[in-house]
Amino acid sequence: MDNFFDEVQNRKIQPYLPFRKDLHWHVALDIATVRKELVEPYRELTHRPGIAPVAARDAHVTLLHDGPLLEFAPGEIEKITELVRAECATIAPFDITLDRPAIGRVAIECPGRPGQPARRLWEMTARVSAEVTGNRFPRLPQVFHPHLSIGYSTSTPTVRADRAAMKVWLSDCPRGPVTLTATALNLVAQWHTRERITWDHLAAIPLGGPPSHH
């Protein structure tokens, strides 16, 4: 596997430097369920050389990676929050099913489905930010598919995560998909240490309307 933190730090579009706080929108999910169903059962998979495991408190489904906190003008974050809150009041909570982990190129990811309800929120938060900031920041991700990572690759030339061994372990793991209900968005100031992604919580925005289970 390639090093996740090298990749985000060296990408061409808005390189994500260690310890810099960037504005992010997350889908809010129940941490206790994430811990019980997606983190603890896979400890043997995530606690391996070349993998930085994700603690339940740090697990997240990112909607939008917005601009660096210090590059927003006074009042812009407050305006973005106000507009997102108004739009979320018209969007119903929804179920999202997180599948068994997949061994990706830079992370161990649980793909989410259906994508459309979360994609609607990604499109909305990106549009609101672009309207308020005059489109100063790139849209990240540029193509959205919901997923939750339980481990990031920290591989180096001398210590590399063994994808084949992890796939063998998964082939013997009987666990299935997990369905959770998304009831809110979290606005956070997020940063990474090259071993961990974490954040300061800024706002919780509830989704309104009757729950949708389709």
Side-chain angles (χ1 to χ4, degrees), residues 203-214:
I205 312 293
L207 297 176
S212 172
H213 297 288
H214 301 297

Side-chain angles (χ1 to χ4, degrees), residues 179-206:
T179 299
L180 302 95
T181 301
T183 59
L185 303 188
N186 286 330
L187 180 64
V188 303
Q190 181 170 308
W191 74 95
H192 72 89
T193 65
R194 290 189 54 85
E195 290 186 348
R196 178 188 176 195
I197 291 176
T198 189
W199 54 82
D200 297 331
H201 182 82
L202 301 179
I205 312 293

Side-chain angles (χ1 to χ4, degrees), residues 108-129:
I108 304 171
E109 297 180 352
C110 300
R113 56 185 167 84
Q116 192 279 330
R119 189 173 301 113
R120 177 185 178 186
L121 294 172
W122 163 69
E123 292 171 343
M124 181 268 289
T125 54
R127 170 175 50 78
V128 168
S129 177

Side-chain angles (χ1 to χ4, degrees), residues 4-6 8-11 15-22 24 65 152 189-199:
F4 171 87
F5 299 98
D6 282 349
V8 297
Q9 184 174 335
N10 297 316
R11 66 189 176 199
Y16 192 19
L17 304 179
F19 299 100
R20 188 188 73 201
K21 295 183 178 183
D22 286 10
H24 281 67
H65 180 162
Y152 298 106
Q190 181 170 308
W191 74 95
H192 72 89
T193 65
R194 290 189 54 85
E195 290 186 348
R196 178 188 176 195
I197 291 176
T198 189
W199 54 82

Side-chain angles (χ1 to χ4, degrees), residues 49-128:
I51 297 292
V54 177
R57 66 180 179 275
D58 295 329
H60 58 282
V61 174
T62 297
L63 284 175
L64 184 73
H65 180 162
D66 214 334
L69 212 62
L70 295 179
E71 294 184 18
F72 285 88
E76 284 185 335
I77 293 176
E78 292 80 2
K79 184 63 174 177
I80 289 170
T81 305
E82 174 189 335
L83 293 173
V84 168
R85 189 181 300 277
E87 296 216 21
C88 280
T90 70
I91 299 173
F94 59 93
D95 287 348
I96 182 168
T97 297
L98 293 166
D99 282 319
R100 287 161 47 89
I103 311 302
R105 187 174 55 81
V106 295
I108 304 171
E109 297 180 352
C110 300
R113 56 185 167 84
Q116 192 279 330
R119 189 173 301 113
R120 177 185 178 186
L121 294 172
W122 163 69
E123 292 171 343
M124 181 268 289
T125 54
R127 170 175 50 78
V128 168

Side-chain angles (χ1 to χ4, degrees), residues 127-144:
R127 170 175 50 78
V128 168
S129 177
E131 289 171 356
V132 172
T133 65
N135 214 25
R136 291 203 313 276
F137 305 116
R139 179 179 288 203
L140 293 174
Q142 294 176 300
V143 178
F144 177 81

